[in-house]
Amino acid sequence: MTTLQRRTGIALWRQVADQIRQSVLSGMTANERLPAEAELANRFGVNRHTVRAAIAALEKEGTLRAEQGRGTFLNDRRRLQYPIGPRTRFSSGLKDQSQTRTGKLLSSRTIPAPPRVAEALELPKTAEVVELSTVSAADGDPISAATSWFDASRFAAIAEHYAETGSITASLARLGVDDYTRQTTAIEARHASSEDLDLLGLSPGAIVLLTRSVDVDSAGQPIQYGESRFAADRIELLIDNRAPAA
Amino acid sequence: MTTLQRRTGIALWRQVADQIRQSVLSGMTANERLPAEAELANRFGVNRHTVRAAIAALEKEGTLRAEQGRGTFLNDRRRLQYPIGPRTRFSSGLKDQSQTRTGKLLSSRTIPAPPRVAEALELPKTAEVVELSTVSAADGDPISAATSWFDASRFAAIAEHYAETGSITASLARLGVDDYTRQTTAIEARHASSEDLDLLGLSPGAIVLLTRSVDVDSAGQPIQYGESRFAADRIELLIDNRAPAA
DNA sequence: GGCTATTTGTCCGTATGTATT
DNA sequence: CAATACATACGGACAAATAGC
């Protein structure tokens, strides 16, 4: 099966932690007991201390809890599903899966459009854009860090609106965009940058899902280009074609 | 700007390698020269030996090449775009971006349906399914490793057809499925297992995009449940809502 | 209450890998 | 290349808590 590897720059206990998250916990329900440390050590072919180090890491991140004499148990921590489709909206998509959602504005500035941004927004190369850096959280846990760009000539005031509402949809509505749809979403995966580690509260080596998206208004004009980083261990992206645009 | 962290189970040289991939190379064009070792060591706050270890790793995985006396240079490595939508098909999606595409059958077997498979295919818990393990490559580079499940009572012979055609679409056509559409696609990201490292020719620590998908026939009946792993450094997933179902 | 089996928690020592000087 | 300090991994032994009898 899946043998662990040495000398890769990734400690064994961390590989074991990842394995436990994936193969051991995948079929388990909340508050279920894990196999004993000794059995896990045997299964992965490592020392019990190495399994203990892995469990300690998973305990620290909130996935497990160990109780002396009783065993180690799986905490209730679902991966949120973030839907992607023509009607993709951050706020509403997660609403029914979490209690509270917050969107915080980190910074904003008006700059000449970077080439890829100008292309996505169908603006001339000399155009100016508003750049928004935001972090979104659900139930207090940071979910995504995003950078968004808007045509400065049309949406100069969007930063102020976002700071008040914490929502792109609401901010756009205030600026006369009643409705918009997702045109394209490109998805990549990579190791988190040190900035993302900070923003999303991840440990080094963690993975982020990176989406690059273009939203268009009802006239088909691109209004937003965004690059979002999602904590891959807390979220999955879901494309559901059963629910077409309303 | 976060400094690198210790005691996280990820060796410093690997963190530096990830950083170089992310922040240093992101703004660079192909065949551009990297900053000198000493400068990188200074920038990341680590010793030169550590930077050298990181560069050696990146060289081994093919993203950099070091030339004696000249410096270290960024190799040209584009990501293929893999479209996802109602009409998602592996073969045709990549056709215009690569010269040759091959689908190889690794193994097949008929087994009782695992719970998540039975649920996805809307089969009774006692049903049997055909499990196909396949690897797909474009221009000789492995792109994805997939495991697919089909209702054994309806598609018992699919393994033989796939072995001949190297295509799921063609195999289904032979079994009377003229048309099918993608119902759902869930996307996660994780570190590659050692099995995937083998199949996809990756180096340890590499990332895979994992998709779980359900395809349905024209009557809306689920016919295929699949889990695919894509090499995240060679591919990105693209959801394009501009081209609706034909 | 005691006894025992099971499981997690802590301590020792030792060897190897990692990172710096 | 060498010397040093720290992190990782292993092996064993025993303590502490829990559950069942």
Side-chain angles (χ1 to χ4, degrees):
Chain A
M1 266 307 181
T2 331
T3 320
L4 303 180
Q5 320 215 339
R6 290 150 213 251
R7 260 178 250 141
T8 59
I10 305 199
L12 264 189
W13 63 261
R14 179 158 282 282
Q15 297 183 54
V16 170
D18 294 340
Q19 285 290 335
I20 289 178
R21 242 199 311 259
Q22 289 174 32
S23 56
V24 182
L25 302 184
S26 65
M28 293 179 55
T29 59
N31 298 318
E32 198 179 332
R33 213 202 74 172
L34 270 74
E37 289 172 359
E39 197 198 313
L40 289 173
N42 183 56
R43 184 187 308 185
F44 292 118
V46 298
N47 193 273
R48 183 166 84 95
H49 295 298
T50 308
V51 171
R52 284 184 59 74
I55 288 176
L58 293 170
E59 226 180 328
K60 200 169 179 180
E61 78 180 35
T63 315
L64 301 180
R65 65 176 185 283
E67 296 178 25
Q68 185 170 157
R70 303 219 317 132
T72 306
F73 301 86
L74 173 59
N75 280 335
D76 191 1
R77 278 213 140 199
R78 280 174 311 159
R79 214 183 272 226
L80 293 176
Q81 285 191 332
Y82 177 60
I84 289 189
R87 313 292 298 175
T88 291
R89 270 133 186 73
F90 195 98
S91 325
S92 53
L94 297 175
K95 199 161 45 187
D96 45 345
Q97 299 178 60
S98 55
Q99 295 301 315
T100 64
R101 202 206 62 85
T102 58
K104 194 172 70 172
L105 179 65
L106 297 178
S107 68
S108 71
R109 52 180 186 158
T110 302
I111 53 169
R116 70 184 189 289
V117 174
E119 187 187 1
L121 293 178
E122 295 176 11
L123 295 174
K125 288 177 185 174
T126 56
E128 296 221 308
V129 289
V130 180
E131 179 186 274
L132 253 54
S133 294
T134 57
V135 172
S136 295
D139 298 335
D141 291 326
I143 291 299
S144 78
T147 311
S148 306
W149 291 269
F150 304 84
D151 180 359
S153 67
R154 191 171 166 194
F155 302 109
I158 193 159
E160 290 74 29
H161 291 303
Y162 186 88
E164 285 176 34
T165 62
S167 156
I168 296 280
T169 304
S171 304
L172 287 172
R174 288 189 179 185
L175 291 165
V177 179
D178 296 329
D179 193 26
Y180 64 94
T181 57
R182 176 65 57 94
Q183 186 182 48
T184 58
T185 312
I187 303 171
E188 301 174 33
R190 55 176 54 166
H191 290 283
S193 70
S194 55
E195 191 190 351
D196 291 338
L197 293 182
D198 261 4
L199 294 176
L200 299 176
L202 301 171
S203 11
I207 300 175
V208 291
L209 282 160
L210 172 69
T211 67
R212 303 176 203 272
S213 58
V214 178
D215 290 297
V216 297
D217 63 18
S218 47
Q221 174 67 31
I223 54 173
Q224 172 182 205
Y225 172 69
E227 295 176 350
S228 299
R229 287 90 67 203
F230 295 88
D233 64 339
R234 294 205 276 270
I235 206 138
E236 68 178 29
L237 307 177
L238 179 68
I239 301 134
D240 191 340
N241 298 308
R242 282 174 303 189
Chain B
M1 222 82 71
T2 318
T3 357
L4 303 182
Q5 306 186 25
R6 288 135 219 257
R7 297 185 203 199
T8 58
I10 316 276
L12 265 189
W13 63 262
R14 178 158 284 283
Q15 296 184 53
V16 170
D18 296 339
Q19 287 291 342
I20 289 178
R21 238 198 316 255
Q22 222 280 323
S23 56
V24 181
L25 302 184
S26 66
M28 293 177 56
T29 59
N31 299 318
E32 199 178 332
R33 206 190 69 120
L34 267 74
E37 277 177 16
E39 197 197 314
L40 289 173
N42 183 56
R43 186 188 306 187
F44 293 119
V46 298
N47 195 272
R48 281 183 62 242
H49 299 302
T50 309
V51 171
R52 284 185 62 75
I55 288 178
L58 291 170
E59 222 178 332
K60 198 169 179 182
E61 78 179 34
T63 47
L64 298 181
R65 67 178 184 282
E67 294 181 22
Q68 193 152 76
R70 300 219 310 133
T72 307
F73 300 86
L74 174 59
N75 280 335
D76 188 3
R77 288 208 133 200
R78 268 182 322 160
R79 275 179 226 240
L80 293 176
Q81 287 193 330
Y82 177 60
I84 288 188
R87 312 292 299 176
T88 290
R89 269 132 186 75
F90 196 98
S91 326
S92 53
L94 297 173
K95 200 159 46 187
D96 47 344
Q97 297 179 62
S98 57
Q99 296 301 314
T100 63
R101 201 206 62 87
T102 57
K104 194 172 71 171
L105 179 65
L106 297 180
S107 67
S108 72
R109 53 179 186 157
T110 302
I111 53 169
R116 71 185 188 289
V117 175
E119 187 185 4
L121 293 178
E122 296 176 11
L123 295 174
K125 288 177 185 173
T126 57
E128 295 221 308
V129 289
V130 180
E131 179 186 273
L132 254 53
S133 295
T134 58
V135 173
S136 295
D139 298 334
D141 290 326
I143 291 299
S144 77
T147 310
S148 306
W149 291 268
F150 303 84
D151 181 358
S153 66
R154 190 171 167 195
F155 302 110
I158 193 157
E160 289 74 29
H161 292 303
Y162 186 88
E164 285 176 33
T165 62
S167 157
I168 295 280
T169 305
S171 304
L172 287 172
R174 288 188 179 186
L175 291 167
V177 179
D178 297 330
D179 192 28
Y180 64 95
T181 57
R182 176 64 57 96
Q183 186 182 48
T184 57
T185 311
I187 302 170
E188 303 175 32
R190 56 177 54 164
H191 289 286
S193 70
S194 58
E195 192 189 350
D196 291 338
L197 294 181
D198 264 1
L199 294 175
L200 299 176
L202 301 171
S203 1
I207 300 176
V208 291
L209 281 161
L210 172 68
T211 67
R212 305 176 202 271
S213 59
V214 178
D215 290 298
V216 296
D217 63 17
S218 48
Q221 174 66 32
I223 55 174
Q224 173 183 205
Y225 171 69
E227 295 177 350
S228 300
R229 288 89 67 201
F230 296 87
D233 63 339
R234 293 205 276 271
I235 205 139
E236 67 179 30
L237 307 177
L238 179 68
I239 300 137
D240 191 339
N241 299 308
R242 283 174 305 188

